[in-house]
Amino acid sequence: QVQVEESGGRSVRPGESLSLTCTVSRDGRNFLLGWFRQAPGKEREQVGALHWSLGERHYADFAKGRFTISKDSSKESARLYTAILQMNDLQPEDTAKYTCAAGKGTVTRALRWDAWGQGTQVTVSA
């Protein structure tokens, strides 16, 4: 069984940075981790993806240069994997609910998403 949980969302001012945490509970390191976001009235969009065992990453165009997905290897255990979404220079248009998912595939083409977290809200306003 795969479980996903996010944390770290809060309100920040434009230009500030924020890191979100995604914890995945599953068997094995061969999986895809994805970050998504959905703003009110808009469709969900993918922020980026990390293939845990391969170490490959891919980002949406809007995220390149500002957002980074990394592993927190210090917290990795037999069934627990923690990733960080570091977001810099946040702007009001980054306001959204950020959700993490775990599944299978490559960083540019997910085959399936096995589990989703409940999401964490990020609000950027002056």
Side-chain angles (χ1 to χ4, degrees):
Q1 183 181 5
V2 182
Q3 294 179 315
V4 179
E5 184 174 4
E6 314 91 340
S7 64
R10 60 180 177 89
S11 294
V12 296
R13 297 185 184 280
E16 292 186 343
S17 298
L18 184 66
S19 62
L20 305 180
T21 299
C22 173
T23 301
V24 176
S25 176
R26 59 160 286 132
D27 290 322
R29 308 177 76 250
N30 183 27
F31 69 96
L32 188 67
L33 184 150
W35 276 103
F36 299 80
R37 71 182 188 181
Q38 186 167 19
K42 294 187 177 181
E43 292 188 353
R44 185 177 63 200
E45 59 182 351
Q46 187 164 0
V47 176
L50 163 69
H51 193 285
W52 195 273
S53 63
L54 297 177
E56 297 175 346
R57 294 166 177 80
H58 180 76
Y59 300 96
D61 286 343
F62 71 82
K64 292 177 181 177
R66 292 194 303 131
F67 293 10
T68 303
I69 302 173
S70 62
K71 301 178 187 180
D72 188 344
S73 299
S74 67
K75 296 183 179 179
E76 184 173 335
S77 64
R79 292 195 76 251
L80 210 61
Y81 305 92
T82 301
I84 306 295
L85 174 64
Q86 175 67 39
M87 303 182 292
N88 298 323
D89 190 26
L90 286 163
Q91 300 300 318
E93 53 266 33
D94 295 315
T95 294
K97 185 176 184 179
Y98 286 72
T99 304
C100 185
K104 290 288 190 177
T106 68
V107 292
T108 54
R109 185 174 182 179
L111 295 179
R112 69 175 194 266
W113 296 106
D114 297 319
W116 296 80
Q118 294 190 339
T120 186
Q121 179 67 35
V122 174
T123 302
V124 186
S125 65

